[in-house]
Amino acid sequence: MQLYHHPYSLDSQKVRLALEEKGIDYTSFHMNPITGKNLRPSFFRMNPTAKLPVFQNGSHVIFNTIEIIQYIERIAVVSVNNDSIAFSSDEVIQWMHKIQEWNPKFFTLSHVPEKYRQAVSKFFRRVLIARMAESPDLASSYHRKLKEAYHTEEKLRDPEVVRRSKEHLIRLLDEIEDSLSKTYIAGEEFSMADRLSKTAYIAGEEFSMADVMFIPVLARLALLNLEDEYINSRPNMAKYWSLVQQRPSYKKVIGRYFGGWRKYRTLAKTWCFIRLRNTLKKY
């Protein structure tokens, strides 16, 4: 099984968290979307949208994040000899879809300093043009991606687009804060010792694929230095965020790239790559 992904991609983080939580072995291929590695012809032929992640098991290729996670669940149930592993409940699946409905693209880009955003966008467009020249048979697909890049820049100039994305995020955070609150209230019937031995997650007392879907959203807010505004201002979510950061899957998938000082190293590495390629005019 192969996973084409990158730490910058929220959907990639979701799938990798699922793989780690379920204990599934896979071969990892990093495809940095900022440097345009996901635009290489070999990958672009398999996935003309160039979106990440892509999960491949033999001839079976899946592009949809939730479908990948549900496929991983099926693999875990069949291959892992553990009676505690089961398919996600209807409630969990509903939460998965609700979380996935929020597109982080415009919210994220609106919080990136314009200097860096414009430089990356310009580099990305040059990579697309270079790939068109290298692979004429894919020119029409690359041209669609180029139009999409220009369209993204145009929409970012519309404050209404960014406002809608922010409001959608706030509604999602408030709904999950309320869900976590209900979980804590439900535990009040237990003794203090019992309550301390329990953990409150999005869909109940057990960690689920709903949490796998949501953790990268909080990690993105932390990366953008927005923890106080969006996470710490919600007491149950602040506790939840502190809790999930202790999981081994989080530390491996997200923490090693964006925990503390590591985020500066990860971002600086990409920025230096772009500056060097621009200087050498190698796209």
Side-chain angles (χ1 to χ4, degrees):
M1 289 179 286
Q2 295 86 40
L3 180 69
Y4 300 86
H5 68 99
H6 196 270
Y8 287 135
S9 161
L10 251 71
D11 285 346
S12 292
Q13 291 175 356
K14 294 169 185 176
V15 170
R16 286 200 67 212
L17 284 170
L19 286 163
E20 295 299 328
E21 289 288 342
K22 296 298 184 182
I24 304 296
D25 293 330
Y26 62 99
T27 303
S28 170
F29 295 97
H30 274 208
M31 311 292 288
N32 192 330
I34 295 179
T35 61
K37 194 173 181 181
N38 58 326
L39 299 174
R40 291 180 176 179
S42 57
F43 182 73
F44 206 68
R45 283 191 174 89
M46 177 175 65
N47 177 24
T49 68
K51 293 180 180 178
L52 298 173
V54 174
F55 185 83
Q56 184 174 15
N57 187 13
S59 60
H60 194 44
V61 182
I62 314 175
F63 307 101
N64 180 278
T65 299
I66 292 179
E67 289 178 8
I68 295 174
I69 291 174
Q70 291 178 320
Y71 186 81
I72 290 167
E73 281 193 305
R74 290 196 293 272
I75 293 172
V77 169
V78 171
S79 63
V80 179
N81 187 20
N82 189 334
D83 293 336
S84 65
I85 296 179
F87 295 114
S88 291
S89 66
D90 290 343
E91 180 187 5
V92 169
I93 293 172
Q94 287 173 9
W95 273 115
M96 289 169 69
H97 283 281
K98 187 171 294 186
I99 294 165
Q100 190 67 4
E101 285 172 2
W102 180 66
N103 186 339
K105 181 178 181 178
F106 295 108
F107 180 86
T108 299
L109 290 174
S110 70
H111 286 86
V112 174
E114 188 172 357
K115 168 188 172 183
Y116 298 109
R117 193 181 76 232
Q118 293 291 348
V120 170
S121 179
K122 188 175 182 179
F123 177 81
F124 186 78
R125 293 195 300 268
R126 286 175 172 173
V127 170
L128 280 166
I129 292 168
R131 296 295 171 270
M132 272 191 242
E134 290 173 6
S135 306
D137 60 312
L138 294 172
S140 61
S141 296
Y142 281 125
H143 189 258
R144 279 195 296 271
K145 286 297 293 182
L146 187 60
K147 287 178 66 177
E148 183 183 311
Y150 280 114
H151 184 59
T152 296
E153 287 299 314
E154 182 181 337
K155 293 192 79 170
L156 274 171
R157 289 191 286 270
D158 183 355
E160 187 66 17
V161 171
V162 177
R163 185 189 64 80
R164 286 198 299 267
S165 180
K166 179 179 177 179
E167 289 180 351
H168 189 167
L169 171 64
I170 290 172
R171 287 196 302 272
L172 175 64
L173 295 176
D174 286 344
E175 189 169 355
I176 292 177
E177 172 72 6
D178 185 55
S179 176
L180 292 171
S181 174
K182 289 177 181 177
T183 304
Y184 282 117
I185 291 170
E188 289 182 353
E189 64 193 73
F190 300 100
S191 68
M192 181 58 70
D194 286 337
R195 285 167 60 196
L196 289 175
S197 69
K198 292 179 178 293
T199 54
Y201 296 105
I202 292 175
E205 300 295 344
E206 298 293 331
F207 187 89
S208 71
M209 292 299 101
D211 301 289
V212 158
M213 296 289 292
F214 187 59
I215 289 170
V217 174
L218 298 184
R220 176 58 55 88
L221 293 172
L223 177 64
L224 296 172
N225 296 317
L226 297 172
E227 277 184 280
D228 286 342
E229 181 178 355
Y230 291 95
I231 301 175
N232 296 335
S233 60
R234 296 171 171 84
N236 293 318
M237 192 164 295
K239 294 176 187 176
Y240 171 86
W241 176 228
S242 178
L243 176 69
V244 296
Q245 287 180 85
Q246 305 308 312
R247 297 185 75 85
S249 61
Y250 172 87
K251 294 176 181 178
K252 183 173 183 179
V253 173
I254 300 174
R256 68 178 292 188
Y257 299 103
F258 300 113
W261 60 270
R262 293 179 182 87
K263 69 177 180 181
Y264 300 107
R265 180 185 64 185
T266 301
L267 295 170
K269 184 178 178 181
T270 296
W271 179 243
C272 289
F273 178 93
I274 290 173
R275 291 290 299 271
L276 178 62
R277 288 298 180 113
N278 270 327
T279 300
L280 299 175
K281 298 189 182 303
K282 287 191 174 182
Y283 307 111

